[in-house]
Amino acid sequence: FCLENTDPRMRGRGIQLLSQVLLQCYSLLQEKEVLHLVLFYESRLQDHHLVIPSVLQGLRALSMCEVLSPGLAVSVLKAIFQEVHVQSLLQLDRHTVYSIITNFMSTREEELKGLGADFTFGFIQVMDGEKDPRNLLVAFQIVRDLIAKDYALGPFVEELFEVTSCYFPVDFTPPPNDPHGIQREDLILSLRAILASTSQFAEFLLPLLIEKLDSELQSAKLDSLQTLTACCAIYGQKELQEFLPSLWSSLRREVFQTASEKIETECLAALHALSACLSRSVLSSDSEDVLDSFISSILQDCRHHLCEPDMKLVWPSAKLLQAAAGASLRTYHSIVRSVLPLLLEQYNKHTQSSQRRTILEMLLGFLELQQKWGHVEEDESTLLSLQAPVCSVVFSALTDPNVQLQLVGIKALTVLGSLQGFLSSSDLELVVDHLIRLALHEEDSQSSEAAMEAAGSLAPTYPKVFSGRMVPRLENELQSGRAGKEESYHNHHSLQQRCLQALAAVSTHTSIVRETVPVLLQHLQKVQKGTEARNTQDVVSVCQSLHHVALQCQQDAEGCWYFHQTVVPCLLAVAVQAAMQESTHTLPGKALLEEEVLAAMIPVISAATTHLSPELAAQSVSHVVPLFLDGEVSFLPQNSFPCSFQPFGDGECLEAQRRLVALLMAFVCSLPRDVGIPQQEWLLRELLALSCSCNCPFTATTAAKCFAGLVNKHPAGQQLDEILQLAVNRMEPSLAEGPRRTQALTLLLWVTKALVLRYHPLSSCLTDKLLGLLGDTELGPAAADGFSLLMAESPDVLHKGCHADVRIMFRQRFFTDNVPKLVQGFHGAGPDVKANYLKGLSHVLNHLPKPVLVTELPTLLSLLLEALSCSDRVVQLSTLSCLHPLLLEAPQIMSLHVDTLVTKFLNLTSSPTMAVRIAALRCAHALTSLPTTVLLPYKGRVIRALAKPLDDKKRLVRKEAVAARGEW
């Protein structure tokens, strides 16, 4: 009845109902039914304009039918092209037309191609005048498919270009709270993909790009440059030739005149792309060589500026030349042949260090481009023909007193060394001599460090030269006798430090490691025999160098095992020797037992162990653990000791030996998880006893950490449950009362951390014990600080680098389980211990990922604000550092408490503690990210209050005050 009604509105409702049904069930239709419906809908396209939207919905449903008869797709599109004026429809209805075309293009490609250029022309008519970004994205995709799938464009190439290029450059700002989420960048990239998809557009597009490059609008320039770069990937010499002079003129002008770094970068990228495009065309073209004339014009316009190292066009010119030179080996040779001799001549002509530095930096840019092409070919290489003058210039820079020129010289030296076949053997010897001089004797630490870094990067390329020439020289310097006068000690000590650093820096190849490690160990043994108080620092320096070498060896299995089996036994031997001397009161080797020295040895042993294969690690553990449990010293070098080694024995005379448990911790806690530890249960019991009974805090802590490290990796099961129960039984009475409460707390913290990381069920029970201790007046503050230990990354044990069992999101889980308990404890606590709960809470929040913290903020903010009133400096500092990122990331929530925040932050800017004043000023600064309307009532008050810290006696406070007050 509706379909035959004379009222167009009623007919429209009937067709709408039918179309909605078809959209639900189009996949169930049979071929005859589809044919019948298509013919009906086609005839309806001639109906009243009110009916058309519903007709298009029905055709969209039918366009998705798999049983559509051949020829119907063409018939439907012809009908739409002829009967519907698409651009007069509403946005949704236009989108429906694009959807019908897209559906047919994906399923009936061959049929549509049978229409020839008529299909392209029809689509041009449909799209012409489209303005809605939602529709444009679909229309742009259709154009891309037309070109990519080789539909016939016929005589309509220019029309297709015009109908799309009219949107270039894209000028679109999405409305606020746009539900469709279409960004300007989406339209830019979609349109660029069309414009740069076929060389047929070149004759129309290139003049357009040149015109937009000359506009005043920065966004238009950027878009034009990026589009030109994209086009060069598919254009050839034929398309570009006519426009090259204009393109070069525009690019040169922009680089010479622009103040925008972005535009300069895009200009250089476009020039690189043009040069690369012309280089490719040369290979396949017999016609005139356009590349040569293009490079000639670049040289003609830029080369003479290189003779003016003080003028502003010198760097733009150098960058343009380097952009073109980097495009292909051919452009590189063409430009370098002309530019390199000129730069060498200019370097020798100018005498000022600043000018020479500019020239050498330009030269360095061209040398770095040669790296791109790899080996220096002897035939057409300009660089090889200039080998002597290039080396001469670089070596002269290394001896110049100007540090900045030296640094550029060192970079250039590294690049020359990386060009295989460029440096002769005599040049290499000279290189090593220069690097040694700079590394050891150059006053400026920048040059010294750069020289060491250069030696490290060149050593793997020339291992024989460095191991044969540099290592012996460094060894001699290290072993040279101590200076006679005390005032020259500092110079000698500084030289020794640099020797040690240089030995480590150059150890970047296994063959060199085999030379440097014995030298470092020999020096360590020499220092051990000394008696001066300053030996401690010397030993720490050797350990730092050994650690550096260990890290460099980790990726090489052979070097890693050599380092481990050489260094670890030696470190253990010298430490055991020193502990024995202490135990038997013979000659002092005290330096090796200092906390600072043992702390420096830990990362060496750890880094030497973490990357071992399980087989080699098992071999090593079979020696090290019996050393500590049984006193089995036979595997140590120089193993004739005055007494037995019993680090777990009783007696005050063994205190020194017990300190070496730190080295055991470094070793066993860094082993791969699948390596079995001999006598592990006995070892765990000994560590447990030592951590609870030892009077030395250092020893007790390292024993607790070692116990925790082993427990974390221990396989689940009865053995683990027994050892944990034993630990709890030892801790509980000690925590309750007695002289060793602190040791028991330390053990509790480390065992809790070990179990929290692996989600062990007992972790919640131990955390509850820790929460209970927050109410203890004696242990409460230390227990509160323990929450930082639980949440933070530990540097030496219980981290992923040493194969610990660390589950993802353990911090979030800990937060969810324990923060409600902390809040509850705070509300129920007495006034003398409330601060402990706040401190514990702020530690937990400080280590929580910020997105998680933002979601929990509403429930915790009042407590954080209360924490700011706490007199404990640690609580204040921790809370401020927690609030700072939240002000930036959750301004809406923080705005609700702006009055309290302003008051608290301003009060804390006059705190007696400098760190608190700085943190408070940073938070006051971060407040300015809240909505302006929220801040305006406080503006005058804050500016007045921030005048006071401008006169603070500490410079760092004044600096923050200036930044915060200026922003307000």
Side-chain angles (χ1 to χ4, degrees), residues 43 82 114 231 262 291 374 400 638 766 907 956:
S43 67
Q82 283 170 10
C231 289
K262 271 186 186 174
L291 178 64
D400 194 278
Q638 304 163 346
L766 296 184
N907 287 344
L956 292 173

Side-chain angles (χ1 to χ4, degrees), residues 206-222:
L206 290 172
L208 176 65
L209 294 180
I210 291 165
E211 178 195 327
K212 298 300 178 187
L213 270 174
D214 295 344
S215 78
E216 295 298 313
L217 210 60
Q218 182 166 329
S219 60
K221 288 183 180 185
L222 281 172

